[in-house]
Amino acid sequence: MSWTKKVLRINLTAGTCSPEPLNMEWVEQFLGQRGLATKYLTEEVPPTTDALSPENTMYMITGPLTGTMASTAGRYSVVTKSPLTGAVACSNSGGFFGNEMKCAGWDMVILEGKSPSPVYISINDDKAEILPADEIWGKSVWEADEWLHTKHQDPQLRVAAIGVSGEKGVLYSAIMNDLHRAAGRSGVGTVMGSKNVKAVVIRGSKGVDVQDPKAFFDATNAGKKILAENPVTGEGLPALGTQVLMNVINEMGAMPTNNWKDSVFEGASKISGEAMLEPRDSDGKANLTRNGACFACTIACQRVSTIDPEHFSVQNRDDLHPSYHANSGGLEYEAAWALGSDTGVDDIDALTYAQFVCNEQGLDPISLGSTIAAAMEMYEEGFITKEDTDGIELNFGNAEAMIKCTELVALGEGFGAELGQGSSRFCAKHGHPELSMTVRGQEFPAYDPRGIQGMGLGFATSNRGACHLRGYTVASEVLGIPIKTDPLETEGKAGLQIAFQNATAAFDSAGICIFTSFAWSLEDVAPQLNAACEGEWTPERLGEIGERIWNLERLYNDAAGQGASADKLPPRLTEEAVKTGPAAGKVNGLATMLPEYYAERGWSPEGDVTADTKARLGL
Amino acid sequence: MSKMTVKLFAGLMDYLPVKSTKAHGFDYPITDATTVGYLIDDLKLPRNVIHIVLLNGVYLDAETRDEVILKENDILGFWPAVAGG
């Protein structure tokens, strides 16, 4: 049985660590990970709770396949109420932390209350302790990781930690595990910091059982064969990683540039996956050293990179952590876009440096880059001046300025503390909320929905605020997976987006990586679940579970004031037409798609989950 | 003779005429009857690997793209199956 059926509940106010049984009735309805923890959240944390108060609770949770030898089965999620959006937050991470939690005998670790002083949580199989973290409070993720490994004298210890940004209340702080992997979005690291928790460290030696070992090996081997033979998961992602998208999205005219004023970035090819392979003049090395993989992953999309030693960001910088001068977690597409084309910066080494800073200090590079980009537009328009920016000349394309802002946000200092509140609060404070490219207060990812229509609907309805990982219709609209649809058309996109949203919620609840969905459907996931754990998991049932999760998240958001009234896009995307490229003249047709979406979801014309839909889904 | 630009990305960079990752694109001479299909065969691009074809940023579907006639200054981009996020 791949469930441990055990939960570790840590009350930081009382200083207690208590085991309790996993609610298996909820497992039947919500599967695990994203779905199951959201159910716990909705039952335990009132939707109007202040996200940074001790009354908020944080759920670190695995899925049924986590820790098994199914491909990509190292995933875990952090579910809580988001301080950035006020909506439900669920951030998913790979690496080796999730599987270690399962191997220690826990499906989920719950952090509730608030510690009176900085602490970290140590879990070694059944033994859980709350220990002082005074010596690492104020340190970066990388420094804390080293200290914790030294203290515990265990190279196999798995660490999930926050950086200084999370301690300082930067609203898009991430929880980093295994140095470079992030539960990245919606400020889950900020919630951890608000509880005075610096890190959770885990060592597990129990292993994970599966229900039917023979059937499990057959099912997971079949799954791995599909991944290996698929050109995306077998070749494209290992070779160029997520960054393979930079040129595609730019060439089709959907690359948000200069805070979404433009949709084609001239410098895109200089910061692309292909560019990461080019030898540089200084030392003859390419930016990319090699790829890497998370636990049990047979795709291996991770980037491992170096910064040009002659680049200004690292040259003569003895003050930096040694990793800046060596191989570290390299540039991903979303970071390259947000810190790059959105700020007009086409310097690949500057972007790699900023990505390293995000990893070291636990920052979401999407929200960071987008907030800097919004500030750049405010600066160029004269809405803010050097007096507001600590003297930084914040023009588009200024790599030094982008780096300086990144460093300030990472430490929550000066102008960085203000940028650390996110673009929605920043732009509102300075009188121009329309320049914040956000939904529910969360910054957009790297796809202009004027050129990829279905993504506009996805952003507007995403339960955790603007996000590509809730319904990635880019797969269909651009890449032809599973079928090609016209990115400039709105027709049929409501149904397409719903299908992606529901299936994604099921994948996110199973303990596997969403990138498997480029090759797998729920038909491929179901047999792996059936062999791993009890219950009859059919593709149809998994689809229904996905729909149930989506509606549960929506109901929570409704009650938190982040429901239908927040289903909207910034005016730039629905009123300002794209200027150049293949999508020229287009705006996003949200007004056309949204009523269809509500109807196909079984919601009222106002966007409320109806009693009938609730009854049908058992909510 | 007119010319247009061919761009090869990701794994298809191996088929660039001069092996160079510095430039994804190169000029290609066309007549008033040069089709995408002719160009693919002329450059010996592997049809079983080509997945995304964008002509001036607009997707050409696999069924009809061979017949599309190229015009001066067109930009034609080729990718294998790729995805990310």
Side-chain angles (χ1 to χ4, degrees):
Chain A
M1 220 62 58
S2 62
W3 302 107
T4 69
K5 301 185 180 176
K6 278 171 61 187
V7 172
L8 177 62
R9 186 180 291 272
I10 296 166
N11 187 305
L12 295 153
T13 308
T16 55
C17 305
S18 321
E20 66 182 44
L22 186 71
N23 188 322
M24 293 306 287
E25 277 180 35
W26 291 349
V27 167
E28 292 287 314
Q29 282 187 294
F30 298 99
L31 186 56
Q33 211 173 342
R34 172 176 163 188
L36 184 59
T38 303
K39 177 62 177 169
Y40 272 83
L41 176 81
T42 60
E43 295 290 333
E44 297 183 352
V45 180
T48 52
T49 302
D50 175 353
L52 296 179
S53 72
E55 285 71 43
N56 195 7
T57 298
M58 205 179 94
Y59 305 85
M60 305 175 96
I61 184 167
T62 62
L65 290 173
T66 306
T68 71
M69 290 312 291
S71 186
T72 78
R75 310 299 298 193
Y76 91 105
S77 290
V78 181
V79 172
T80 188
K81 188 181 175 193
S82 165
L84 183 69
T85 66
V88 62
C90 173
S91 292
N92 182 310
S93 182
F96 298 82
F97 183 79
N99 52 288
E100 200 73 19
M101 184 190 297
K102 185 72 83 66
C103 283
W106 307 102
D107 290 316
M108 174 162 63
V109 175
I110 301 176
L111 299 180
E112 59 185 25
K114 177 180 179 177
S115 168
S117 61
V119 294
Y120 73 98
I121 313 299
S122 170
I123 300 166
N124 191 331
D125 287 340
D126 294 331
K127 187 181 175 190
E129 297 174 282
I130 304 172
L131 299 171
D134 303 287
E135 287 186 64
I136 45 174
W137 199 257
K139 302 287 187 190
S140 75
V141 171
W142 295 352
E143 291 166 333
D145 187 284
E146 189 175 337
W147 185 87
L148 289 160
H149 275 97
T150 304
K151 184 180 177 198
H152 288 262
Q153 286 295 296
D154 183 354
Q156 300 287 340
L157 190 76
R158 299 300 175 185
V159 176
I162 59 168
V164 173
S165 74
E167 300 172 14
K168 294 283 187 73
V170 169
L171 289 181
Y172 43 86
S173 291
I175 299 173
M176 306 300 300
N177 58 282
D178 304 287
L179 300 173
H180 315 297
R181 312 321 306 166
R185 300 224 71 192
S186 310
V188 296
T190 322
V191 174
M192 190 154 143
S194 76
K195 297 186 174 306
N196 268 330
V197 174
K198 181 69 179 178
V200 177
V201 305
I202 302 188
R203 186 70 168 94
S205 65
K206 297 185 178 186
V208 177
D209 291 331
V210 293
Q211 175 156 279
D212 182 341
K214 166 94 175 56
F216 183 75
F217 274 108
D218 288 345
T220 53
N221 284 339
K224 288 172 188 177
K225 188 163 185 285
I226 292 169
L227 294 177
E229 292 174 352
N230 182 285
V232 172
T233 51
E235 294 171 35
L237 282 170
L240 289 168
T242 55
Q243 269 275 68
V244 75
L245 285 181
M246 181 64 71
N247 283 311
V248 188
I249 302 298
N250 193 57
E251 291 283 326
M252 68 174 292
M255 174 60 60
T257 302
N258 294 351
N259 199 37
W260 303 66
K261 288 199 292 182
D262 300 303
S263 305
V264 177
F265 182 46
E266 222 170 86
S269 72
K270 291 169 70 179
I271 60 171
S272 65
E274 286 87 349
M276 290 171 72
L277 304 176
E278 294 173 10
R280 55 198 174 215
D281 294 335
S282 63
D283 59 1
K285 290 181 183 171
N287 174 285
L288 181 72
T289 305
R290 61 175 173 83
N291 64 332
C294 300
F295 175 82
C297 178
T298 55
I299 301 173
C301 72
Q302 284 177 24
R303 304 293 89 186
V304 179
S305 294
T306 59
I307 300 168
D308 186 335
E310 293 182 6
H311 190 261
F312 72 86
S313 61
V314 295
Q315 199 171 31
N316 304 318
R317 290 284 305 272
D318 295 337
D319 58 312
L320 295 173
H321 189 283
S323 293
Y324 287 85
H325 304 289
N327 282 304
S328 195
L331 203 52
E332 301 289 347
Y333 174 56
E334 290 295 340
W337 157 77
L339 296 159
S341 75
D342 204 28
T343 67
V345 172
D346 63 4
D347 175 342
I348 198 167
D349 292 292
L351 301 182
T352 307
Y353 173 82
Q355 166 103 63
F356 285 10
V357 173
C358 287
N359 290 348
E360 186 186 7
Q361 293 293 5
L363 283 172
D364 169 9
I366 302 178
S367 287
L368 171 67
S370 300
T371 304
I372 296 171
M376 284 176 163
E377 184 168 1
M378 302 275 276
Y379 183 82
E380 291 203 343
E381 292 294 333
F383 303 146
I384 58 173
T385 67
K386 271 206 252 186
E387 284 183 19
D388 301 298
T389 66
D390 293 352
I392 301 169
E393 290 190 22
L394 207 53
N395 295 100
F396 285 117
N398 184 340
E400 288 89 346
M402 182 276 291
I403 280 180
K404 187 65 190 167
C405 289
T406 298
E407 291 174 337
L408 287 172
V409 176
L411 299 175
E413 289 177 351
F415 182 52
E418 202 185 325
L419 291 175
Q421 298 303 293
S423 84
S424 178
R425 289 167 177 83
F426 181 87
C427 293
K429 179 185 171 186
H430 292 284
H432 288 274
E434 76 282 2
L435 295 183
S436 169
M437 301 307 293
T438 50
V439 171
R440 292 182 172 79
Q442 178 158 284
E443 289 72 13
F444 284 99
Y447 308 92
D448 192 326
R450 294 170 291 189
I452 310 173
Q453 292 287 325
M455 289 305 284
L457 179 63
F459 295 156
T461 58
S462 166
N463 286 325
R464 72 166 183 179
C467 178
H468 56 300
L469 294 171
R470 285 298 174 271
Y472 192 68
T473 57
V474 172
S476 169
E477 295 182 271
V478 180
L479 312 166
I481 302 170
I483 49 154
K484 184 72 174 66
T485 52
D486 186 343
L488 299 178
E489 281 295 328
T490 56
E491 195 181 341
K493 295 298 167 64
L496 186 72
Q497 186 57 247
I498 290 169
F500 270 84
Q501 288 175 342
N502 292 350
T504 300
F507 272 86
D508 283 349
S509 300
I512 52 177
C513 177
I514 192 60
F515 281 7
T516 58
S517 70
F518 293 130
W520 291 350
S521 69
L522 293 174
E523 301 265 355
D524 302 301
V525 179
Q528 301 186 59
L529 283 170
N530 277 325
C533 56
E534 63 204 67
E536 294 292 318
W537 307 100
T538 62
E540 295 73 27
R541 187 177 167 203
L542 292 172
E544 186 184 277
I545 285 172
E547 185 184 9
R548 184 177 297 122
I549 293 166
W550 191 268
N551 279 272
L552 181 71
E553 292 172 339
R554 174 73 171 196
L555 287 165
Y556 190 79
N557 283 354
D558 279 341
Q562 290 294 335
S565 62
D567 289 342
K568 56 190 180 191
L569 297 171
R572 175 159 285 169
L573 302 181
T574 54
E575 294 169 20
E576 290 179 29
V578 173
K579 293 173 199 153
T580 55
K586 284 278 179 184
V587 296
N588 185 263
L590 180 64
T592 306
M593 295 183 282
L594 199 55
E596 292 172 27
Y597 176 88
Y598 287 163
E600 291 193 35
R601 274 256 172 242
W603 296 354
S604 75
E606 293 75 35
D608 296 319
V609 183
T610 60
D612 283 353
T613 298
K614 275 196 264 190
R616 178 170 61 81
L617 295 170
L619 289 168
Chain B
M1 187 174 272
S2 306
K3 63 184 179 182
M4 44 79 67
T5 301
V6 180
K7 292 185 177 181
L8 302 176
F9 295 98
L12 289 169
M13 287 193 297
D14 291 344
Y15 293 85
L16 286 164
V18 178
K19 175 87 173 131
S20 163
T21 55
K22 287 259 181 202
H24 308 300
F26 57 95
D27 289 340
Y28 183 80
I30 53 170
T31 67
D32 55 8
T34 306
T35 63
V36 173
Y38 174 87
L39 181 147
I40 290 172
D41 292 336
D42 185 43
L43 294 173
K44 298 185 173 55
L45 302 180
R47 286 176 175 273
N48 59 341
V49 175
I50 293 170
H51 183 72
I52 299 172
V53 182
L54 299 182
L55 179 59
N56 302 318
V58 178
Y59 182 83
L60 299 181
D61 68 58
E63 285 73 40
T64 58
R65 69 181 166 221
D66 271 19
E67 310 310 319
V68 174
I69 294 173
L70 294 162
K71 298 190 301 295
E72 183 158 26
N73 299 325
D74 273 350
I75 298 173
L76 185 65
F78 292 92
W79 285 262
V82 296

